[in-house]
């Protein structure tokens, strides 16, 4: 029904309603309403004809300019659209439609950074435009900024209740190695719309990432008989079986399953390589990786990285470099090519910017590679990373200055991209130096905070050893690196003060450990948030006599700080991170940690825990009491 066919009564009712919506009295409000309808239906000429007069009579009304901007977008006129939406901003500076319109106008003009900035503003302002959210996620993924994008879009995806957006967000977080966060969104996609095959598989993946392994195995076996995308299901099932230490079942599935795609088969070979490493058969694992590369090449980039770090762990840096260097997709490499770290180019630069990658602990480890890089004398080196690093890096021995990641990525920071490199690309220099040449502490804890915490813990200890413990990683693969706190506490000296260095909610673990070792004094210090306050965490680490930790951020902070009595429990097989090599108790990376490795039986912590139990009393402690547990 058009305006012309309305009765007078209907017309008056619609004008009254439109006036409330658009803030204009009379028939012009109805004209705006019709202009929006024309725009939705693709009648650009009709929308312009109705909206243009309103821009003349009511130039301060945003709606007419929004329609004009939307029409220009339809006609792919980026600059014109931007001019109209900019006019709309005069009266509606926080309107998500206006902000989104400016974002789209920049996209039409191939101005990616401004487009991303305006799209983020629109999303934060509450846009209902699912297409804009999707486009933002796609562009940010291509730029390698998955985690930054996820922080922006999570509220929008939750609000829009769009199953496909939830699945996209889950996939993006998986690609960023944030499987714990991904689980929520993969399950949300399934809950919103359980019918599509992709969403049923998302439910399976969610169970895996929540480490609900028995449920994942059961559902995986069901889905193998009911879906077309069987490769993905088989890979999830293989992973779940491996984490459960059901190696023979996993190997049999990998051998017998008929993968439909080269990528699926190659990924299965990567999992087989992990199983072979768990059996301490590295030569066979190398062959499995090589076959996977022959089958899929760079089609499966995470597999390239896995092969690279496998070679790095064995000390074969020269052969591992090109595989590790291929860890990023082409779009990212187009902006920050690996050639930026060519020795000849690097040695001529007066300033270098290193981009963050991986987790907090990995970043600390990779920073030490600056000691190997052929930098020009006086070269200014900046690290673009998480805001939590700002205070932690103050006074660091590497000469790194910190640039907040959000500031750098917003486009407000001007940099010559020829001088920007990924932190991990510095691994190319490992092959040119003796093992451990990058080692040595480079951070200093805040002395005032350290001493304050030390006095608190000494008051509780009354001469007993003060031992900091970190025992758990919440991720799927982190489970293979974790040890039960109750088991770890059995290796503690009688009457010791145990300072909780574990991030997250671990009250249940502590209750079980306290029941097993009632003689120990457990301290969870509410002054320190190990996740949010890295400076406080560093001070806490240096305030204890000894640290015993699994391979996590705690271990890397101990190394970066040079803690004099730090001990790390290392898993066997493929979950032993490449920094630590394949054998020996000496720390080959920082040169300060004592390593306690699982033996031939992967998953068995008895040996490392016995070594911890037999350690002499921490330095400066004349404490002869031993555990009778």
């Amino acid at each position: 029904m058009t305006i012309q066919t309305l009765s007078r009564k209907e017309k008056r009712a619609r004008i009254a309603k439109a006036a409330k919506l658009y803030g204009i009295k009379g028939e012009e409000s109805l004209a705006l309403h019709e202009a929006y309808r024309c725009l939705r239906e693709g009648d650009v000429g009709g929308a312009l004809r109705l909206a243009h007069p309103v821009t003349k009579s009511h130039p301060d009304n945003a709606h007419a300019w929004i329609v004009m901007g939307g029409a220009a977008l339809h006609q792919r006129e980026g600059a014109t659209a931007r001019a109209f939406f900019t006019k709309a901003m005069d009266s509606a500076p926080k309107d998500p439609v206006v902000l989104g319109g400016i974002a789209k106008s920049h996209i039409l003009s191939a101005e990616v950074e401004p487009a991303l900035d305006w799209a983020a503003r629109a999303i934060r302002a509450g846009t209902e435009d699912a297409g804009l959210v999707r486009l933002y996620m796609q562009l940010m993924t291509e730029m390698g900024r998955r985690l930054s994008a996820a922080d922006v879009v999570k509220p929008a995806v939750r609000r829009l209740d769009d199953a496909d957006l939830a699945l996209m967000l889950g996939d993006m977080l998986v690609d960023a190695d944030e499987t714990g966060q991904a689980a929520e969104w993969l399950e949300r996609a399934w809950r919103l719309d359980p019918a599509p095959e992709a969403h049923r598989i998302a439910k399976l993946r969610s169970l895996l990432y929540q480490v609900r392994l028995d449920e994942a195995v059961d559902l995986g076996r069901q889905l193998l008989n009911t879906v077309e995308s069987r490769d993905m299901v088989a890979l999830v099932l293989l992973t779940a079986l491996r984490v459960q230490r059901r190696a023979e079942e996993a190997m049999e599935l990998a051998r017998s399953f008929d993968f439909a795609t080269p990528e699926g088969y190659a990924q299965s070979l990567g999992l087989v390589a992990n199983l072979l490493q768990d059996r301490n058969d590295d030569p066979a694992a190398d062959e499995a990786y090589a076959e996977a590369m022959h089958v899929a090449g760079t089609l499966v980039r995470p597999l390239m990285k896995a092969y690279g770090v496998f070679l790095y762990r064995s000390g074969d840096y020269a052969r591992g470099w090109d595989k590790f260097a291929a860890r990023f997709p082409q779009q990212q490499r187009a902006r920050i090519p690996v050639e930026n770290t060519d020795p000849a180019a690097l040695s001529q630069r007066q300033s270098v910017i290193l981009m963050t990658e991986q987790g907090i602990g990995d970043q600390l480890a990779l920073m030490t590679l600056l000691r190997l890089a052929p930098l020009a004398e006086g070269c200014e080196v900046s690290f673009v990373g998480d805001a939590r690093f700002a205070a932690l890096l103050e006074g660091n021995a590497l000469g790194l200055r910190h640039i907040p990641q959000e500031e750098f990525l917003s486009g407000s920071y001007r940099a010559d991209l020829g001088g920007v490199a990924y932190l991990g690309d510095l691994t190319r220099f490992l092959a040119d130096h003796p093992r451990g040449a990058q080692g040595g502490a480079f951070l200093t804890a805040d002395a005032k905070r350290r001493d304050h915490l030390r006095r608190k813990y000494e008051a509780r200890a009354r001469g007993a050893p003060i031992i900091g413990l970190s025992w758990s990683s919440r991720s799927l693969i982190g489970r293979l690196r974790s040890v039960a706190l109750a088991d770890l506490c059995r290796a503690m000296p009688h009457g010791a003060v145990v300072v909780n260095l574990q991030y997250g909610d671990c009250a249940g673990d502590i209750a079980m450990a306290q029941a097993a070792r009632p003689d120990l004094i457990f301290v969870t210090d509410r002054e320190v948030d190990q996740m949010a306050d890295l400076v406080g965490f560093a001070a806490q680490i240096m305030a204890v006599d000894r640290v015993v930790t699994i391979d996590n951020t705690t271990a890397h902070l101990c190394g970066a700080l040079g803690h004099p009595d730090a001990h790390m429990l290392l898993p066997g097989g493929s979950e032993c991170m490449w920094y630590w090599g394949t054998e020996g108790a000496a720390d080959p990376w920082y040169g300060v940690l004592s390593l306690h490795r699982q033996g031939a039986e992967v998953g068995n912590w008895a040996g490392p825990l016995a070594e911890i139990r037999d350690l002499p009393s921490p330095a400066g402690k004349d404490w002869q009491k031993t555990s009778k547990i």
Side-chain angles (χ1 to χ4, degrees):
M1 183 179 291
T2 65
I3 298 174
Q4 290 76 15
T5 60
L6 293 174
S7 68
R8 288 184 178 181
K9 183 177 180 181
E10 289 172 328
K11 193 172 183 179
R12 283 197 300 271
R14 291 203 179 187
I15 288 173
K17 185 176 180 180
K20 291 181 180 180
L21 285 173
Y22 307 119
I24 298 177
K25 295 180 179 179
E27 292 196 10
E28 284 178 312
S29 64
L30 199 54
L32 275 179
H33 192 73
E34 286 296 301
Y36 273 121
R37 180 187 62 78
C38 289
L39 199 58
R40 285 193 302 271
E41 296 175 358
D43 180 5
V44 175
L48 290 171
R49 187 169 56 254
L50 289 162
H52 184 259
V54 183
T55 65
K56 302 294 185 181
S57 59
H58 294 82
D60 294 333
N61 185 277
H63 290 284
W65 297 114
I66 289 172
V67 172
M68 299 291 286
L73 289 177
H74 271 282
Q75 294 173 321
R76 307 188 68 79
E77 298 173 356
T80 302
R82 185 156 57 255
F84 287 139
F85 283 116
T86 300
K87 287 288 292 182
M89 276 198 72
D90 291 342
S91 53
K94 297 182 180 180
D95 189 306
V97 176
V98 174
L99 299 172
I102 295 176
K104 292 174 182 178
S105 74
H106 281 292
I107 290 169
L108 284 176
S109 302
E111 297 165 346
V112 178
E113 291 296 347
L116 292 172
D117 180 48
W118 285 99
R121 295 191 201 185
I123 293 166
R124 291 191 180 101
T127 185
E128 298 295 317
D129 188 343
L132 179 64
V133 177
R134 184 175 292 105
L135 182 59
Y136 175 77
M137 292 166 73
Q138 289 171 341
L139 290 173
M140 289 290 279
T141 295
E142 291 177 6
M143 304 288 281
R145 304 177 190 171
R146 294 176 180 85
L147 290 179
S148 296
D151 289 341
V152 171
V153 303
K154 282 176 187 175
V157 175
R158 186 172 284 113
R159 183 181 66 252
L160 292 170
D161 262 356
D162 185 303
D164 290 335
L165 282 181
L167 178 59
M168 187 176 182
L169 176 54
D171 285 337
M172 189 167 66
L173 287 165
V174 170
D175 290 341
D177 292 327
E178 290 289 341
T179 54
Q181 292 188 55
E184 172 191 350
W185 302 100
L186 295 172
E187 179 148 350
R188 188 179 186 88
W190 172 77
R191 289 188 181 281
L192 289 171
D193 187 1
E197 178 176 298
H199 296 177
R200 285 181 281 149
I201 296 175
K203 169 64 174 177
L204 171 65
R205 295 162 65 203
S206 174
L207 290 173
L208 177 70
Y209 299 142
Q210 292 176 70
V211 201
R212 293 161 59 183
L213 300 178
D214 289 336
E215 295 173 75
V217 169
D218 290 344
L219 180 57
R221 295 197 188 282
Q222 293 174 31
L223 290 177
L224 274 181
N225 300 316
T226 59
V227 301
E228 292 184 8
S229 301
R230 298 175 72 242
D231 283 12
M232 173 65 79
V233 175
L235 292 168
V236 172
L237 188 52
L238 278 170
T239 304
L241 290 170
R242 176 180 171 249
V243 176
Q244 287 185 314
R245 302 295 188 193
R246 295 161 67 176
E248 293 304 321
E249 288 181 66
M251 289 291 278
E252 178 57 30
L253 176 60
R255 291 191 191 101
S256 62
F257 190 81
D258 185 15
F259 285 90
T261 65
E263 296 91 335
Y265 178 57
Q267 286 178 281
S268 77
L269 288 171
L271 287 166
V272 166
N274 287 335
L275 291 164
L276 290 167
Q277 291 171 73
D278 292 345
R279 293 179 177 178
N280 296 306
D281 191 349
D282 282 5
D286 199 336
E287 291 179 8
Y289 278 127
E291 183 181 354
M293 296 302 98
H294 177 72
V295 169
T298 60
L299 292 176
V300 187
R301 291 188 178 276
L303 191 56
M304 293 284 287
K305 179 182 176 182
Y307 192 14
V309 299
F310 165 77
L311 294 169
Y312 278 2
R313 193 180 70 202
S314 67
D316 194 347
Y317 300 124
R319 198 155 65 98
W321 160 243
D322 64 325
K323 299 163 184 64
F324 186 74
R327 66 198 181 279
F328 293 126
Q330 186 174 353
Q331 296 94 328
Q332 278 179 258
R333 281 304 188 192
R335 291 178 55 79
I336 305 178
V338 72
E339 289 77 16
N340 284 4
T341 54
D342 281 344
L346 203 60
S347 63
Q348 298 300 312
R349 301 206 62 89
Q350 296 304 305
S351 65
V352 172
I353 294 175
L354 297 173
M355 296 295 296
T356 181
E357 58 176 304
Q358 305 185 76
I360 296 291
D362 296 293
Q363 292 171 58
L364 290 170
L366 295 172
M367 285 176 187
T368 64
L369 296 174
L370 270 174
R371 293 178 169 133
L372 311 183
L375 299 174
E377 186 175 350
C379 178
E380 181 185 70
V381 184
S382 301
F383 169 66
V384 175
D386 191 303
R388 291 175 292 175
F389 273 106
L392 184 68
L393 287 174
E394 286 185 10
N396 71 87
L398 300 175
L400 273 174
R401 76 183 188 101
H402 177 260
I403 301 174
Q405 187 173 6
E406 289 301 315
E407 175 186 327
F408 185 84
L409 296 179
S410 70
S412 61
Y413 192 96
R414 301 299 174 191
D416 173 10
L417 287 180
V420 179
Y422 283 111
L423 193 58
D425 286 347
L426 299 181
T427 58
R428 70 185 302 160
F429 303 116
L430 284 165
D432 303 326
H433 295 82
R435 191 154 195 170
Q438 78 289 337
F442 63 93
L443 296 180
T444 304
D446 181 284
K448 186 176 181 180
R449 294 187 70 176
R450 178 201 62 205
D451 293 345
H452 164 68
L453 294 172
R454 178 71 187 178
R455 287 192 294 271
K456 283 205 310 180
Y457 303 154
E458 284 181 333
R460 298 290 302 275
R462 297 183 178 180
I466 303 168
I467 303 176
L469 298 185
S470 181
W471 60 93
S472 177
S473 176
R474 308 300 186 190
S475 69
L476 172 68
I477 299 303
R479 173 175 170 146
L480 301 179
R481 300 179 195 152
S482 300
V483 59
L485 176 61
D487 292 341
L488 182 55
C489 283
R490 289 188 178 94
M492 294 298 105
H494 186 83
V497 167
V498 172
V499 176
N500 172 17
L501 302 180
Q502 182 64 45
Y503 61 88
D505 181 9
C506 49
D509 291 350
I510 292 174
M512 291 179 63
Q514 183 77 79
R517 287 294 306 272
D519 60 295
L520 299 178
I521 300 171
F522 289 86
V523 175
T524 297
D525 195 331
R526 303 301 180 190
E527 282 190 37
V528 181
D529 183 333
Q530 290 89 357
M531 290 293 289
D533 179 13
L534 292 181
V535 171
F537 191 18
Q540 185 178 41
I541 284 172
M542 297 307 288
V544 301
D545 296 321
R546 173 177 290 162
V547 175
V548 181
T549 180
I550 63 167
D551 182 2
N552 58 10
T553 298
T554 305
H556 288 285
L557 263 176
C558 285
L561 290 161
H563 194 288
D565 195 351
H567 301 263
M568 180 165 56
L569 304 171
L570 280 180
S574 65
E575 296 319 313
C576 176
M577 291 295 287
W578 66 273
Y579 308 113
W580 318 121
T582 57
E583 59 186 15
D587 164 17
W589 195 262
Y590 299 99
V592 298
L593 304 169
S594 295
L595 310 184
H596 304 271
R597 300 177 184 270
Q598 288 180 353
E601 185 183 351
V602 173
N604 187 341
W605 289 110
L609 291 176
E611 293 175 7
I612 297 296
R613 185 183 61 244
D614 293 340
L615 289 172
S617 183
K621 294 287 179 181
D622 183 17
W623 193 258
Q624 300 302 318
K625 298 179 183 179
T626 57
S627 170
K628 297 180 175 62
I629 305 299

